[in-house]
Amino acid sequence: MSQTVPSSTTFRVADLPQNRATPFELRPDPQTLEAIAKELDLIGLKKLVFKGEIHAFGKNDWELVADLGATVVQPCVVSLDPVTSRIDEEIERRFLAQMPELVAEDEEVEMPEDEDAEPLGSTIDVFAVMQEALALNVPQFPRAAGAELQDAVFTEAGKKAMTDEDARPFAGLAALRDQLSAKDDE
């Protein structure tokens, strides 16, 4: 996400207190909401709130725990009509000074156990975490109420289109079985 980040949303790790949590609350202005909506290919973005805290997690690590609330408007995947969805998620991120080593066996890379872990840098950017969390929680296939995908068949001009029924491999065998059963009954 390539937004210009307001400086008040970036916390220097060296300035964070070890013995208490640092609260934050982001409520982007209308221009920022519009820019985020455009970047995520949304029709609209309303009521975006990201509220939580950053606290020490062990000796050298930090944890961000926040609630993400947003109302997004997207085009329906079937009819392209606007679909409004509400997102309410708890977000957790752990910023680790030492990331665990990934074990590679036979060229397959094992996923880390903690999928919310990120390497700790000199700052923690809560605006970036908010944008990422929103992008991950936007419905992938929004559908308007009552929108149904109709059967669609496509083919070259002058040829018979193949339907789902034609593609079923055992449909022809079932018809053949029924014909053979009918002959046996005679």
Side-chain angles (χ1 to χ4, degrees), residues 94-115:
R94 277 168 283 296
F95 298 90
L96 306 179
Q98 293 291 318
M99 288 294 290
E101 294 291 322
L102 297 179
V103 179
E105 293 180 15
D106 300 327
E107 297 184 26
E108 288 185 24
V109 177
E110 190 175 311
M111 293 297 294
E113 288 183 28
D114 187 357
E115 63 186 27

Side-chain angles (χ1 to χ4, degrees), residues 6 18-19 28 32 57 75-76 78 89 91 102 111 118 138 141 148 161 167 169 176 185:
Q18 282 279 339
N19 56 354
T32 305
F57 185 74
C76 171
V78 175
E89 291 292 325
I91 307 302
L102 297 179
M111 293 297 294
E118 296 185 20
V138 168
F141 304 104
E148 294 290 327
L176 182 60
D185 291 340

Side-chain angles (χ1 to χ4, degrees), residues 15 49 61 64 66-68 73 88 121 128 132 138 153 155 172:
D15 295 340
V49 177
D61 303 326
L64 177 149
D67 291 317
L68 173 70
V73 182
D88 287 301
E132 178 185 88
V138 168
V153 291
T155 190

